[in-house]
């Protein structure tokens, strides 16, 4: 067959492809369905576990088996994403009602990951079986082909409570996200019943039942006044705080302690370690002096982070500081987005309950229709058996006079007696009047003889009466909306009684945390950096007492103010700014902090050539000299910037900055000279006024002609030196006696 080329507009094709991809991600992976509140991967994991028979009263099964079945039969994506979904369904600190019973390491609230799937085991919880998976055999939901059409899977699970509210949801799709907090099971059930009683109920009235989110980590929601708008619009921000309690020392010598026993939901995982790190940061930056020690005493019993306080600490001020400066108070962004009627929709609290109640009526309608049909079948069969018991002798005669079962069945159903031998003509006439149904005939032929015992016949009649009662009940439920509502409410009450847990999160209004920061007084300090790159600051008094020691041990010693910045110039041509307010004040023998931790400087990739306090830049000059002898004067004002890192100069390939020298304005005259010394022993002395003034983005001008492989090694200013004599090759060399040349010369080779 000849190849056919189809021409298409590229933009149209890309648009269609992108929309198809986006809708696939939105509907098939990222967003939950409003009916069962589950994403496809969660639904498939639970269904696969149900198919494996992993009931709550059965042994656990390896997670790898569950993941394998889910991936091979229903979810053709990565095993890691399936296992992650299984893990989250087990974690009771993430879910309002955990749906999986795990055995082994399924991770922790502090961010520890779960063990590999080959080590952990799982099964369904009783709650999941009872509320999420029951009645699947009663045709309550549609089953659709799986990805390769070899299996059937439920389009949605027949969940009896709004899982979207009970367990919440999180997901990132294409151009949209969902973020729904978990809620209290009992409150949501009460809201469902209220909606059933009054479908015109408002969100405000529903909130008489649903107070607000109920996070599994507890804590406090402190903006109750905003919740009504959030639940009406489906979007907003909930402010959550951890629970902080003061434990007073039992003895006078014991310190008081602030104990954090519940954390914000947003702090789950690495947030706990980050919080403790932030508390240490507040101590190091001297924003509080009330905390003596911090320890994490959390265990399987719950969260317990202890802050030991100094005597007479201001507890309220410290709480406000923690709320303001750490994640002990955080915001949970609400966006109640879910798939409703096949498309993504932002829903209010009432919308979610309304969608779910419609779903409940649908699954109950289908359930009781299925049950009614089964009872009608049983009624038909029982009527046939009861009738058969009354004419059992005739039926036995028909059976004995027939050659095969087909003839018997044809006689029972249609009264055909032609090929059957009867004992009497009367029996034949009676047989010709039989009109059992196909189902009744089959049941009669399968009936065992013991059913002819008198008591068994009585039991058969009793069963028939019970069937009639059930049929009447089911028909009433299906035709009477009030009866249907009573059934649903009764089921909800049973679920509430059996599975509801006490509310964990307190809903309240609290004042916003206010921190009154004491103004920092300017003081003279000394910035110190040792040869290993550790920095610290000491006060003036400490410096004066130990000047000789400091000058001997430190590589850099710069007098400055605590309001200053230190400009770090590197060989690679960059300038990094370090705020001295970030540099810890230390004692003389303190080790200090690596400079890499306080600014963008990376000692593994860059080398420092000069440190200049920012306050000395205004109105002055910087002289740049590179190893390839490129030089320039730059106005220091160009380096007064707000960015923490900038390019300080432009470099040619392979070149590096040798020195950055700070010159106060008018600090040199036309008579001043500069001497460049190369590694090969060439000295070039020329007037400083020949160095051009350039912008920081320029390369500069060449100060000295170098031979291949040679580079500038030293730079001197003879007129600024008390003694312009240096030691070179073990002999003294007077720099002022060097021949005065011009810039860009080769210089003089000193051979002595």
């Amino acid at each position: 067959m000849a190849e056919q080329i189809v021409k298409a507009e590229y933009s149209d094709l890309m648009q269609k492809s992108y929309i198809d991809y986006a809708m696939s991600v939105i509907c098939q992976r990222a967003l939950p369905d409003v009916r069962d509140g589950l994403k496809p991967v969660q639904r498939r994991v639970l269904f696969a576990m149900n198919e494996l028979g992993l009931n709550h009263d059965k042994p656990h099964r390896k997670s790898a088996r569950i993941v394998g079945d889910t991936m091979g039969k229903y979810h053709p994506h990565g095993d890691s994403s399936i296992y992650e979904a299984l893990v989250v369904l087990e974690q009771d600190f993430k879910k309002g009602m955990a749906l999986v019973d795990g055995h082994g390491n399924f991770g922790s609230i502090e961010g520890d990951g779960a063990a590999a799937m080959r080590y952990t085991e799982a099964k369904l919880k009783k709650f999941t079986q009872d509320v999420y998976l029951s009645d699947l055999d009663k045709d309550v939901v549609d089953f659709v082909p799986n990805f390769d059409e070899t299996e059937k899977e439920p389009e949605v699970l027949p969940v009896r409570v709004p899982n979207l509210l009970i367990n919440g949801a999180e997901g990132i799709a294409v151009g949209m996200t969902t973020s729904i907090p978990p809620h209290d099971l009992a409150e949501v059930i009460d809201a469902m019943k209220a909606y059933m009683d009054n479908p015109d109920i408002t969100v405000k009235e529903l909130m008489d039942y649903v107070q607000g989110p109920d996070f599994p980590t507890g804590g406090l929601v402190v903006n109750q006044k905003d919740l009504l708008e959030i639940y009406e619009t489906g979007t907003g921000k909930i402010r959550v705080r951890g629970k902080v309690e003061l434990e007073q020392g039992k003895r006078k010598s014991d310190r008081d302690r602030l104990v954090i026993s519940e954390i914000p939901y947003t702090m789950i995982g690495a947030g706990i370690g980050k919080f403790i790190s932030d508390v240490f940061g507040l101590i190091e930056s001297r924003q509080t002096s009330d905390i003596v020690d911090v320890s994490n005493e959390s265990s399987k019993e719950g969260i317990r982070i202890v802050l030991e306080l100094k005597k007479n600490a201001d507890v309220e001020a410290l709480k406000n500081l923690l709320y303001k400066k750490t994640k002990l108070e955080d915001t949970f962004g609400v966006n109640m987005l879910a798939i409703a009627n096949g498309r993504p929709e932002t829903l209010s609290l009432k919308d979610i309950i309304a969608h779910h109640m419609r779903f409940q009526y649908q699954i109950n309608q289908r359930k009781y229709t299925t049950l009614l049909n089964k009872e009608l079948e049983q009624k038909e069969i029982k009527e046939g058996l009861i009738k058969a018991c009354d004419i059992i002798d005739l039926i036995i005669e028909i059976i004995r006079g027939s050659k095969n079962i087909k003839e018997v069945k044809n006689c029972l159903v249609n009264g055909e007696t032609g090929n059957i031998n009867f004992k009497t003509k009367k029996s034949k006439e009676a047989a010709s009047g039989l009109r059992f149904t196909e189902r009744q005939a089959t049941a009669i032929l399968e009936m065992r003889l013991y059913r002819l015992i008198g008591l068994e016949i009585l039991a058969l009649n009793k069963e028939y009466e019970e069937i009639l009662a059930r049929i009447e009940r089911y028909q009433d439920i299906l035709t009477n909306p009030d009866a249907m509502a009573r059934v649903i409410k009764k089921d909800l009450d049973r679920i509430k009684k059996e599975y509801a847990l006490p509310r964990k999160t307190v809903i309240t209004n609290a004042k916003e945390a206010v921190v009154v920061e004491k103004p920092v007084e300017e003081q003279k300090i000394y910035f110190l950096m040792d040869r290993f790159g550790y920095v610290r600051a000491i006060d003036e008094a400490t410096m004066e007492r130990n000047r000789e020691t400091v000058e001997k041990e430190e590589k850099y010693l710069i007098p400055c103010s605590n309001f200053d910045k230190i400009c770090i110039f590197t060989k690679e041509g960059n300038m990094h700014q370090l705020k001295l307010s970030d540099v810890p004040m230390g004692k003389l023998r303190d080790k200090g902090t690596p400079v890499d931790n306080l600014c963008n400087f990376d000692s593994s990739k860059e080398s420092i050539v000069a440190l200049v306090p920012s306050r000395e830049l205004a109105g002055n000059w910087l002289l740049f000299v590179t190893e390839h002898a490129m030089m320039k004067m730059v106005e220091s004002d160009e380096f007064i910037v707000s960015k923490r890192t900038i390019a300080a100069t432009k470099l040619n390939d392979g070149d590096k900055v040798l020195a950055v020298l700070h010159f106060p304005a008018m600090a040199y005259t036309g008579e001043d000279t500069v001497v460049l010394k190369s590694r090969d022993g060439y000295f070039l002395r020329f007037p400083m006024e020949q160095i051009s003034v350039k912008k920081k983005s320029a390369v500069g001008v060449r100060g000295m002609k170098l031979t291949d492989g040679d580079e500038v090694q030293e730079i001197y200013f003879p007129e600024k030196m008390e003694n312009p004599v240096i030691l070179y090759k073990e002999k003294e060399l007077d720099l002022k006696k060097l021949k005065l040349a011009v810039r860009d010369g080769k210089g003089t080779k000193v051979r002595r």
Side-chain angles (χ1 to χ4, degrees):
M1 185 176 179
E3 184 177 356
Q4 185 177 4
I5 298 174
V6 178
K7 292 186 178 181
E9 177 62 38
Y10 180 76
S11 58
D12 293 341
L13 187 64
M14 288 299 294
Q15 185 179 24
K16 182 181 182 303
S17 299
Y18 185 76
I19 290 172
D20 290 345
Y21 162 74
M23 289 307 297
S24 174
V25 172
I26 290 167
C27 297
Q28 298 300 320
R29 299 190 74 170
L31 299 186
D33 192 298
V34 70
R35 293 172 292 177
D36 63 3
L38 297 169
K39 298 180 187 179
V41 64
Q42 297 170 327
R43 185 180 303 121
R44 287 162 175 168
V45 166
L46 295 177
F47 181 66
M49 293 178 73
N50 189 61
E51 290 295 286
L52 283 168
L54 301 183
N55 299 338
H56 72 280
D57 53 354
K58 299 289 179 63
H60 293 80
R61 190 78 66 88
K62 284 288 184 185
S63 299
R65 172 65 190 276
I66 299 168
V67 172
D69 263 40
T70 305
M71 183 168 59
K73 291 183 177 180
Y74 312 114
H75 197 71
H77 301 287
D79 57 353
S80 59
S81 63
I82 298 172
Y83 184 51
E84 184 180 348
L86 174 65
V87 168
V88 172
L89 289 171
E90 191 276 344
Q91 293 175 330
D92 55 7
F93 52 84
K94 284 188 179 179
K95 294 293 181 184
M97 299 290 291
L99 304 180
V100 170
D101 180 4
H103 186 203
N105 176 16
F106 275 83
S108 75
I109 194 171
E110 296 185 50
D112 302 314
M117 67 179 83
R118 61 184 177 274
Y119 299 121
T120 61
E121 299 176 343
K123 63 180 179 179
L124 293 168
K125 280 188 172 287
K126 185 175 184 293
F127 173 73
T128 314
Q129 279 182 251
D130 189 15
V131 182
Y132 286 65
L133 294 162
S134 64
D135 298 333
L136 274 173
D137 58 339
K138 296 181 176 65
D139 190 36
V140 291
V141 294
D142 292 333
F143 276 71
V144 295
N146 68 338
F147 61 91
D148 61 1
E149 299 187 356
T150 58
E151 302 278 346
K152 293 279 190 179
E153 61 175 313
E155 183 183 46
V156 65
L157 292 184
V159 182
R160 300 183 185 185
V161 293
N163 181 63
L164 203 60
L165 293 175
I166 304 300
N167 277 327
E170 288 184 2
I172 301 174
V174 179
M176 57 185 69
T177 62
T178 185
S179 179
I180 304 173
H183 293 78
D184 180 69
L185 175 64
E187 292 179 7
V188 173
I189 287 176
D190 289 341
M192 291 172 68
K193 290 163 62 180
Y195 176 83
M196 293 172 69
D197 293 336
N198 177 21
D200 296 325
I201 193 171
T202 64
V203 172
K204 185 176 182 180
E205 290 169 336
L206 281 172
M207 290 188 67
D208 291 338
Y209 305 95
V210 179
Q211 298 179 40
D214 186 27
F215 297 108
T217 55
L220 297 85
V221 169
V222 295
N223 62 329
Q224 186 179 21
K225 62 184 183 299
D226 300 329
L227 293 183
L228 176 59
E229 183 181 355
I230 291 171
Y231 283 120
E232 284 180 336
T233 62
T235 59
K237 291 184 178 179
I238 295 174
R239 282 173 45 218
V240 289
R241 284 182 182 175
K243 184 179 179 182
V244 184
E245 297 171 322
L246 177 65
E247 285 187 2
Q248 295 184 332
K250 295 179 181 178
R251 295 171 296 192
K252 287 187 177 180
S253 58
D254 293 342
R255 297 183 185 273
D256 293 343
R257 298 184 292 181
L258 273 185
V259 178
I260 298 158
S261 55
E262 296 176 6
I263 59 172
Y265 187 63
T266 53
M267 201 191 282
I268 290 174
I272 295 177
K274 177 69 166 56
F275 167 73
I276 295 173
S277 175
D278 289 344
V279 174
F280 279 118
L282 293 175
I283 299 170
E284 291 175 0
S285 62
R286 301 181 295 281
Q287 294 186 58
T288 180
S289 57
D290 289 338
I291 301 175
V292 176
D293 191 24
V294 182
S295 59
N296 185 1
E297 300 176 5
S298 303
S299 64
K300 290 181 179 179
E301 281 67 45
I303 293 293
R304 183 177 170 83
I305 301 170
V306 180
L307 311 181
E308 197 168 324
L309 308 180
K310 75 173 187 181
K311 295 290 184 182
N312 303 317
D314 188 340
V315 175
E316 288 305 314
L318 180 55
K319 283 184 181 180
N320 284 334
L321 182 67
L322 294 174
Y323 291 143
K324 198 74 176 176
K325 300 289 186 179
T326 72
K327 292 292 185 181
L328 192 60
E329 178 178 321
D330 203 0
T331 57
F332 180 95
V334 177
N335 186 27
M336 300 202 292
L337 184 74
I339 302 298
N341 300 320
R343 65 180 185 182
E345 209 175 302
T346 301
L347 306 167
S348 67
L349 174 64
K350 181 180 176 181
D351 292 336
I352 293 174
I353 292 176
H355 277 290
H356 185 77
M357 287 313 307
R358 280 195 291 273
F359 179 57
Q360 285 304 300
Y361 277 103
Q362 288 170 8
I363 62 176
N364 275 278
Q365 187 78 21
R366 292 178 65 162
K367 172 184 175 180
Y368 286 105
T369 299
T370 301
L371 290 175
L372 177 61
N373 290 335
K374 285 184 178 179
E375 294 300 332
L376 289 173
E377 287 179 13
Q378 288 299 311
K379 173 177 175 289
E380 180 184 335
I381 290 170
K382 298 301 181 189
E383 287 175 344
L385 291 177
I386 291 170
K387 183 179 177 182
C389 288
D390 293 337
I391 56 169
I392 192 63
D393 294 334
L394 176 61
I395 292 174
I396 292 173
E397 190 174 342
I398 293 169
I399 293 171
R400 296 185 66 179
S402 302
K403 298 182 181 65
N404 54 54
I405 195 168
K406 185 177 179 182
E407 289 182 357
V408 178
K409 211 167 192 180
N410 201 19
C411 180
L412 292 175
V413 174
N414 301 314
E416 292 288 339
T417 59
N419 298 324
I420 301 174
N421 295 320
F422 290 93
K423 293 180 180 179
T424 65
K425 187 177 180 181
K426 185 178 179 181
S427 296
K428 186 174 183 179
E429 288 176 357
S432 64
L434 295 178
R435 291 295 182 273
F436 288 100
T437 66
E438 190 80 26
R439 190 177 287 115
Q440 288 173 335
T442 302
I444 289 168
L445 292 173
E446 292 175 353
M447 183 176 66
R448 297 186 179 184
L449 290 176
Y450 78 86
R451 299 302 298 267
L452 300 177
I453 300 172
L455 289 177
E456 286 296 323
I457 293 173
L458 291 175
L460 186 63
N461 284 303
K462 186 178 180 181
E463 287 174 13
Y464 179 65
E465 290 172 2
E466 290 172 354
I467 288 171
L468 291 178
R470 285 196 292 269
I471 288 173
E472 184 179 358
R473 177 170 172 260
Y474 295 157
Q475 286 175 335
D476 182 49
I477 291 171
L478 291 169
T479 57
N480 185 352
D482 291 338
M484 176 71 80
R486 284 194 296 272
V487 168
I488 295 174
K489 284 183 179 179
K490 184 178 179 181
D491 198 32
L492 291 174
D493 288 337
R494 181 189 61 79
I495 292 170
K496 176 182 174 181
K497 182 178 179 181
E498 189 169 354
Y499 300 110
L501 300 171
R503 166 173 274 279
K504 301 181 184 70
T505 301
V506 176
I507 309 295
T508 184
N509 282 313
K511 294 180 180 178
E512 187 171 351
V514 176
V515 176
V516 180
E517 298 188 8
K518 298 176 183 177
V520 180
E521 295 182 3
E522 185 173 5
Q523 65 179 106
K524 185 177 180 181
I525 61 172
Y526 285 83
F527 172 80
L528 310 179
M529 180 188 286
D530 63 19
R531 65 183 186 277
F532 301 109
Y534 283 80
V535 301
R536 66 190 190 283
I538 60 173
D539 57 41
E540 192 174 15
T542 304
M543 178 65 192
E544 292 305 321
R545 289 195 305 269
N546 304 277
R547 180 176 291 276
E548 186 177 344
T549 303
V550 173
E551 290 177 345
K552 181 180 178 182
E553 294 182 354
E554 303 299 328
K555 183 176 181 180
Y556 294 98
L557 168 60
I558 302 174
C560 48
S561 159
N562 58 333
F563 288 177
D564 272 353
K565 297 176 184 176
I566 297 294
C567 299
I568 303 173
F569 292 91
T570 69
K571 276 191 173 186
E572 290 67 28
N574 296 320
M575 184 193 83
H576 305 287
Q577 294 199 84
L578 168 62
K579 288 183 178 180
L580 282 169
S581 58
D582 294 337
V583 177
M585 289 290 291
K587 297 177 182 178
L588 183 65
R589 295 299 175 188
D590 285 349
K591 185 177 181 181
T593 303
V595 67
D596 303 45
N597 296 352
L598 302 176
C599 64
N600 293 336
F601 173 74
D602 185 349
S603 59
S604 65
K605 299 177 182 177
E606 297 181 281
S607 301
I608 298 174
V609 295
L611 301 181
V612 180
S614 60
R615 67 170 49 191
E616 294 184 11
L617 291 177
N620 296 323
W621 299 85
L622 291 179
L623 170 62
F624 284 79
V625 184
T626 75
E627 293 177 352
H628 292 180
M630 302 306 294
M631 306 177 73
K632 65 179 178 181
M633 277 288 193
V634 183
E635 289 188 44
S636 300
D637 290 352
E638 289 198 46
F639 300 96
I640 302 175
V641 294
S642 58
K643 291 183 179 179
R644 300 192 68 175
T645 298
I646 62 169
T649 186
K650 186 177 180 181
L651 295 171
N652 291 325
D653 291 344
D655 201 1
K656 293 198 174 208
V657 176
L658 174 68
V660 179
L661 302 164
H662 175 248
F663 286 89
M666 306 304 293
Y668 65 94
T669 68
E671 297 178 357
D672 288 339
T673 61
V674 60
V675 176
L676 298 180
K677 171 193 170 292
S678 78
R679 188 179 58 198
D680 290 346
Y682 287 91
F683 287 78
L684 177 65
R685 180 176 172 232
F686 60 90
M688 281 191 67
E689 61 185 10
Q690 292 184 8
I691 303 174
S692 300
V693 175
K694 299 282 186 181
K695 295 289 185 183
K696 71 175 187 289
S697 57
V699 175
V701 295
R702 189 165 61 183
M704 183 180 188
K705 287 181 181 176
L706 298 171
T707 58
D708 291 342
D710 197 6
E711 61 183 25
V712 176
Q713 207 170 44
E714 300 287 347
I715 179 170
Y716 303 101
F717 302 92
E719 286 74 22
K720 300 298 181 187
M721 299 168 66
E722 288 184 12
N723 182 14
V725 177
I726 64 169
L727 193 65
Y728 180 66
K729 291 189 176 181
E730 299 180 356
K731 293 186 179 181
E732 291 184 347
L733 173 64
D734 189 341
L735 298 175
K736 284 188 177 181
K737 291 184 178 180
L738 289 171
K739 177 183 176 183
L740 186 63
V742 294
R743 181 185 60 78
D744 201 22
K746 187 174 181 181
T748 304
K749 177 85 169 180
V750 177
R751 301 182 182 278
R752 38 174 146 159

